[in-house]
Amino acid sequence: MTTMTDPPKGDGFRLSQLLYDTRYRSMTIQVIALIAFMMFAAFLVRNTIINLENLGKDINFSFLGYSANYDINQRLIPYVSSDSNMRAAVVGLLNTLLVAFLGCILATVVGVIAGVLRLSKNWLTARIMTVYVETFRNIPVLLWILAFMAILSESLPVPRSFKGPNAESSMWLWDTVAVTNRGTYVPMPIWGAGSALVVITFLLSLVGIWAFGKFAKRKFEATGQILPTFWIKLAIFLVPTVLAYFVLGRPVTLTYPEFKGFNFTGGLHLRNSLLALWLALSLYTGSYIAEIVRSGILAVSSGQTEAAYALGLRPSRTMNLVILPQALRVIIPPLISQYLNLTKNSSLALAVGYMDLRSTLGGTTLNTTGRELEAMVLMMLIYLVVSLSISSSMNFYNKSVKLKER
């Protein structure tokens, strides 16, 4: 599209057209802005290199191969202090991903329940959920992390209270779980020969549940028949895995925590730093998700609910089949931001001594090697990749559940 001020075609190109011709003006401004940005970035990089040279430093990532010489108390893969800084960073990254994964699951469960209950017609239930939401989202998450750490450390019994025939404290769940102020000890699986087949069977069961869910949905849309999906999915989840477990000779066993000396040994030790960080991030983010769920439900017209009731649907089926599918298109986009916030807020783990990526690569490694620029650049790149991965997967899910226009 051209304007009356544009010169007629066929007169040849002149440099003045880059500014006065509307066909080229926007492109000219974008090129100038890009050149200015690149010059500013080049200035920053050059200035950084000169300052590092004046300090006798260079940009070098060889420190990743040096011995870390520090311990990490919570780890998902084998690690000793003589391992490299690279392996220490990987251990920290896995700890970050662990608390982010657990936090997103628990925050979603808490947020959905709280969001639905905030709309309850029961006055007391709705007010309790309001108090929860307003209390958690109006206090900084760092304070919640410290508060949960203090509660776990001060209110739980010390390990020696489990000692002796007349112990002051007792273990939970038939003497299999010990909750102490040093952490929680739970049974740990021991993977024997053939356990891989049990795991593969379990994964195939999950695929079967997903396939049956798709089949039930298509049948409902085609015929209106509602299948008993809960019990069938439960059977698919349990029966194949249990059969494989016994047929293969029970290859997966458990080792239980046992009190010896001054503390518990055996089992899986979940430190209070992990539990405090997990609970604080989950409940804090869950309060925001509750408001997102509530707004998504309110965005659905009340006529949809009345129409479902007029067709004889029960309230639970109305919520599952009518309200939530329409509310998801409103809920998921802001939900992605909350997942990203939870993942980034996990970098506050240093406050309670949880060794995540910030504590390993951006903490001890940075301080002992003096490579602050390289460590910060690596951390920024890793957090960027993790955040983009979460965002991409959620956008893919959002695209799969959004309403299809005909």
Side-chain angles (χ1 to χ4, degrees):
M1 179 178 178
T2 60
T3 66
M4 296 298 293
T5 58
D6 295 340
K9 296 181 179 178
D11 292 348
F13 179 78
R14 300 188 300 276
L15 287 178
S16 60
Q17 290 180 254
L18 294 176
L19 286 179
Y20 300 110
D21 193 329
T22 56
R23 293 173 297 178
Y24 306 111
R25 184 184 301 161
S26 62
M27 187 182 300
T28 304
I29 295 174
Q30 292 179 56
V31 171
I32 293 174
L34 178 62
I35 293 174
F37 174 77
M38 293 179 66
M39 291 178 64
F40 180 69
F43 167 76
L44 291 179
V45 172
R46 180 175 177 276
N47 218 28
T48 302
I49 294 175
I50 292 174
N51 289 336
L52 288 175
E53 288 177 352
N54 292 335
L55 294 173
K57 291 185 176 180
D58 58 350
I59 300 177
N60 194 330
F61 292 91
S62 61
F63 71 96
L64 293 173
Y66 300 162
S67 177
N69 293 324
Y70 63 89
D71 194 18
I72 299 177
N73 51 25
Q74 186 87 44
R75 47 188 179 267
L76 296 177
I77 59 175
Y79 170 84
V80 293
S81 59
S82 58
D83 284 336
S84 65
N85 285 314
M86 172 67 85
R87 190 168 183 83
V90 172
V91 174
L93 174 60
L94 292 177
N95 286 344
T96 295
L97 295 178
L98 172 66
V99 76
F101 176 73
L102 296 176
C104 287
I105 293 176
L106 184 58
T108 304
V109 173
V110 172
V112 171
I113 294 175
V116 173
L117 291 182
R118 276 206 75 183
L119 298 172
S120 172
K121 295 180 180 178
N122 186 301
W123 184 87
L124 181 60
T125 301
R127 294 302 176 275
I128 290 175
M129 291 300 106
T130 301
V131 170
Y132 156 67
V133 170
E134 297 300 335
T135 303
F136 269 87
R137 73 174 182 173
N138 288 307
I139 295 177
V141 64
L142 177 59
L143 298 182
W144 282 117
I145 294 173
L146 296 175
F148 274 98
M149 188 65 185
I151 292 172
L152 293 175
S153 301
E154 300 298 332
S155 63
L156 296 178
V158 296
R160 66 171 179 272
S161 63
F162 293 83
K163 186 177 181 180
N166 299 320
E168 300 175 3
S169 304
S170 58
M171 300 175 66
W172 296 4
L173 299 176
W174 304 281
D175 290 340
T176 59
V177 177
V179 181
T180 75
N181 66 346
R182 293 185 185 178
T184 300
Y185 299 82
V186 298
M188 184 173 68
I190 303 297
W191 307 98
S195 57
L197 294 176
V198 177
V199 174
I200 293 173
T201 305
F202 175 73
L203 296 177
L204 291 176
S205 299
L206 296 181
V207 175
I209 291 173
W210 173 80
F212 176 73
K214 300 287 287 186
F215 167 75
K217 183 179 180 181
R218 284 198 298 268
K219 186 164 187 176
F220 171 74
E221 293 175 348
T223 65
Q225 182 182 359
I226 300 176
L227 297 176
T229 55
F230 175 78
W231 295 108
I232 296 178
K233 287 182 178 179
L234 184 63
I236 297 174
F237 181 76
L238 292 177
V239 173
T241 305
V242 172
L243 285 177
Y245 175 75
F246 284 103
V247 168
L248 294 172
R250 294 189 289 183
V252 183
T253 57
L254 295 175
T255 174
Y256 297 95
E258 184 179 359
F259 188 87
K260 288 184 178 179
F262 300 98
N263 203 352
F264 282 91
T265 59
L268 184 63
H269 183 196
L270 304 176
R271 295 180 178 274
N272 282 342
S273 55
L274 169 63
L275 298 176
L277 184 67
W278 176 38
L279 293 175
L281 291 177
S282 301
L283 294 178
Y284 178 80
T285 308
S287 64
Y288 285 91
I289 294 178
E291 287 299 274
I292 294 172
V293 172
R294 187 174 72 93
S295 62
I297 294 174
L298 291 176
V300 180
S301 170
S302 59
Q304 299 282 328
T305 305
E306 295 169 359
Y309 288 163
L311 293 173
L313 290 180
R314 290 174 294 177
S316 59
R317 289 202 178 276
T318 301
M319 179 62 71
N320 293 329
L321 299 177
V322 179
I323 306 300
L324 283 181
Q326 297 184 73
L328 280 178
R329 58 178 177 168
V330 180
I331 292 173
I332 291 178
L335 190 63
I336 299 173
S337 299
Q338 294 306 319
Y339 287 167
L340 297 179
N341 287 338
L342 189 149
T343 303
K344 290 179 286 187
N345 285 337
S346 67
S347 60
L348 297 171
L350 185 62
V352 289
Y354 181 70
M355 300 293 283
D356 69 333
L357 181 66
R358 167 68 181 85
S359 302
T360 53
L361 179 60
T364 309
T365 298
L366 185 152
N367 293 326
T368 55
T369 61
R371 293 291 178 179
E372 63 279 356
L373 179 64
E374 293 88 339
M376 287 298 171
V377 169
L378 283 176
M379 275 201 305
M380 292 171 66
L381 290 176
I382 292 172
Y383 274 113
L384 180 63
V385 170
V386 172
S387 298
L388 290 178
S389 301
I390 295 173
S391 180
S392 300
S393 59
M394 290 299 296
N395 283 326
F396 175 78
Y397 176 71
N398 185 35
K399 188 177 293 185
S400 67
V401 300
K402 74 176 183 181
L403 294 179
K404 307 293 189 301
E405 297 183 359
R406 299 176 180 176

